[in-house]
Every structure is written in C-alpha cells, then in structure tokens.
Amino acid sequence: MSWHPQYRSSKFRHVFGKPASKENCYDSVPITRSVHDNHFCAVNPHFIAVVTECAGGGAFLVIPLHQTGKLDPHYPKVCGHRGNVLDVKWNPFDDFEIASCSEDATIKIWSIPKQLLTRNLTACRKELVGHARRVGLVEWHPTAADILFSAGYDYKVMIWNLDTKESVITSPMRTISCHQDVILSMSFNTNGSLLATTCKDRKIRVIDPRAGTVLQEANYKGHRASKVLFLGNLKKLMSTGTSRWNNRQVALWDQDDLSVPLLEEDLDGSSGVLFPFYDADTSMLYVVGKGDGNIRYYEVSADKPHLSYLTEYRSYNPQKGIGVMPKRGLDVSSCEIFRFYKLITTKSLIEPISMIVPRRSESYQEDIYPPTAGAQPSLTAQEWLSGMNQDPILVSLRPGSELLRPHPLPAERPVFHSMAPASPRLLNQAEKLAAEDGWRSSSLLEEKTPRWAAEHRPEEKKSWLTNGFDVFECPPPKTENELLQMFYRQQEEIRRLRELLTQREVQAKQLELEIKNLRMGSEQL
C-alpha cells in the first residue's frame, strides 16, 4: 500500500462513492449520542435499524428501506430494554429477526412484523440472560442457524442456541472466559469455525469457539488493536488501532502466526476508532473512521504488498456510526458493489453511500458479481455444535438466477433443502427455448419437471430470490420507489434477453457463412 502506487491492472481502480440525494436519505432520525464504539446501525434488504435516543430505557428504530425522507417524530420504536441499547444485528437468515444488547446485561431477539409498525414494540420473542454486566457486542454465526454470540463487560463471550421453545434462556451453550479485559470486537472466518477478538488489553486472539481455547495470541507492542476482521479465505486478519505514537494504524496478520504483523501502515493522527469492512467477493477492504467523513478503500491480495491503496471517499459530515447492506440487497443494474449507511448525528440524518464501478454497459456485469453468500443457513445449530463445518450457500446476483450450492448438505436435512430450485439441465433447456422461440420458461418447467419436484414446489419457490426480491410472490407496488425498482428489474431482464437474441443471431449468421463456404468448396472440387 503506497501513496505513490505504480501502475497495476485492476477492475476496481476507478471505484467511486456516490452519496444519495436528499430525498433518498432518512431525515430527522434521533440518532443515539452514546460514546460506545459500535456501528449503531444494521441494514438488510427490507429494513434499516438504528439505535436512538430514548428516555427511560433503551430503544432502536426499524425503518422500512423504501421509507426515505423526513421521519415522523412519533414513529414507533422497538423498546424493551431497561438500559441503553449498545448493539443491534439482523439475523443473516431471516430479514424479519433482529438481536439487540443493552446496558441492562440482557440480549433480546425481536420479530419484526412485515407490515409497518403502528405502535411501540415492547414484547420480544426471546430474552437471553447470562451476563453479569452490560453486553456490548452481539454477532450471528455466518453459516449456522440460530447461533448467536455475545460479548459483555464481564470479560466473557457467550454462545447461545436459539433453537428452543423457551422464551427466556438463562444458560448459554458455551462460555469463553480467556479474556482479561473488555472485548472490543469479534469476527468470524468464512465458515464460522474460528473467532477473532480484540480486547482492551490490546491483544488479538484467534479462538476455537466450540472448545473455548485460544489458538493464537498477539503480544506485539507496536500496534494497539481496537477492531479485528477476518479477510475471507485468505487466512489473514486485518486490525485497526493505534501505533506507539498514537497514530491511527492498520495492520495485516497471518492468522496462524500473530507474533509479528505482515504489514503496518499509519493513516493519520486522528483519535476516532477505525471500522474495517471486507468484501470477500471483490477482495476490497474499506476503512471507515468514526468522527470523520472519510472512507478509505484498498484492494487485498495474498501476495506482497498485500494491500493496494485505491482512493478515498471524502465528506465534510462526520459519521457517528455506519451500517452495511448485504450483497443480495445491492443494485446490480448500476454496478453497485458496496453500500454504506452513514449516521450523521449533527444533522439527524442517515445518508446511503453507494460504491460504484463505472461501466458503460447497462447489462449485468458477471466479473464484478461472483457468487456470494445467500440468506439460507448451511448448518443447523445442533450440527455446528456437534463439530461440523460448512461454507456458506452461495447465490448469484444475476436477476432471475437460482441458488448455487458448493457442497451438498448432510443427509439428515429435509429433502427440499438439499436440492436446487429445479434441475439445472431443465433450466438451461428452458432458457435456450425461450431465447430461440419466445416460449415461456415457466410453462416448459411445469411440463418437464418430474413428479417429485412438483410435490415440493412451494419450498422451491421460496429460493427464487433476486437481490432480496421474490420472483413468485410478487405483491403489487405500494410506493413510487417500489414501482421504479420493479421497472428497473424488468428493464434488466429485457436487456438480458435482447443480448441472448443478438448472440443467437450472430451464431446463425456464422453458420450460414460456413454452409456457403462448404458449398463453394464442394463446387470447386
């Protein structure tokens, strides 16, 4: 990572940040004024949750993503904690379930209704009671369903299994007690078999969460880490913190050897915490500074120099916290590869910022959207607790595409979960016929799908998602934004079909030329 980089070929060299217009921001939002170093915001393709100021206990807001503009001052809150809410996280496998933790030493699991909230939500689905002091962090497991991690000011990390009928859970499945001070951050590797933490003692630890043992521990004195992040499948860690001279710093580590960092780089002399975000699909690292308006981004590689500085998004408005949209909620028609939701306390504003790869073509860009983690767990809670590991189930972001599964699920799972939405061979046949003859692929699938697939068709239809949009259960648009989104999706599908038709025409012309050449050759003979 050099400030005077040599020329290097990269499709992400010209990525730029595009802030949303005023009408597409969320205005008059009473953002919390807590000094806790957390994101205070969580986003999924349906809702944005933000911790808010509230008298007499803690609360947070859940705002539908399309409900932009000025927020009603009497907008209903999710309030049930007796102390300030410190962290909120959406369940990655259920867009209508969210976990929150608070200074009252409890974690609560909330079910958000699909319709708009009409009054304050005070009844939680589950309450987790086990920490002796306030709870500062919660994290969902990346591949196993119903597994939640929490870190408290009692220096303990607790693992909770939510797959029970009890509404109040008082005993966690595991308790990790290796930390000597307050835990500042937690991060999982891709399949959730390892947990990395940073602590107020400035040490980085790599932990086996099921055994509770410390596999690696960093005692390096030159870097005081505050946040840590696994870098996908690169077997590396990225930490942010401060140097001996109190400069903000990023450091790269080998997860199997934390004795000395592979790379250290000073950024500036500001005092705010640096939040790192890694996109494994594009190998891009984003570093967001709390208290300033900058977002730096880099490209990460397994080979030296490991980090390549790209550029920086700058703004005069300082961010209190930040939220990140999952990849399945991005707008692929505009070549958006990442989206932040920036909390601006001074203006009571939430501003979306889209990171965009500039492309002239309006068609789907396969090279910048590889298969990404979807919204379906690859393991049950019991399977993970018993020692099984499984990579996330991948989905394609191409409009109208189906689930991709890198590995078959264990045999004990139900039949309809272990199969794709329909036979890939049948889908390919249907697409070819639709492009050549204009037939509807759905009718062909109905004719050619075997009887066993027809029996499980309701389950199959649930998996046909496009950027968080259900193709089969399509409600009529209620707002102008929804109508525009549907219009853009239809335009993208039309463009894709036109491209297919053009390709077929070119192939037909090539075949005609080959036939003519053969005829001419035979006549000469």
Side-chain angles (χ1 to χ4, degrees), residues 126-130 160-164 166-172:
K126 288 185 185 295
E127 184 174 5
L128 316 180
V129 182
W160 305 87
N161 181 7
L162 307 182
D163 189 16
T164 63
E166 302 170 4
S167 59
V168 178
I169 304 174
T170 55
S171 56

Side-chain angles (χ1 to χ4, degrees), residues 435-455:
E436 293 172 2
D437 302 321
W439 293 357
R440 292 179 60 88
S441 60
S442 58
S443 61
L444 285 171
L445 284 172
E446 287 176 4
E447 293 175 8
K448 291 185 174 287
T449 304
R451 186 177 301 171
W452 58 266
E455 293 174 358

Side-chain angles (χ1 to χ4, degrees), residues 14 37 101 116 152 176 202 206 308 331 447:
H14 302 292
D37 289 328
C101 63
L116 292 177
I176 302 171
R202 301 304 183 186
V206 176
S308 301
D331 181 11
E447 293 175 8

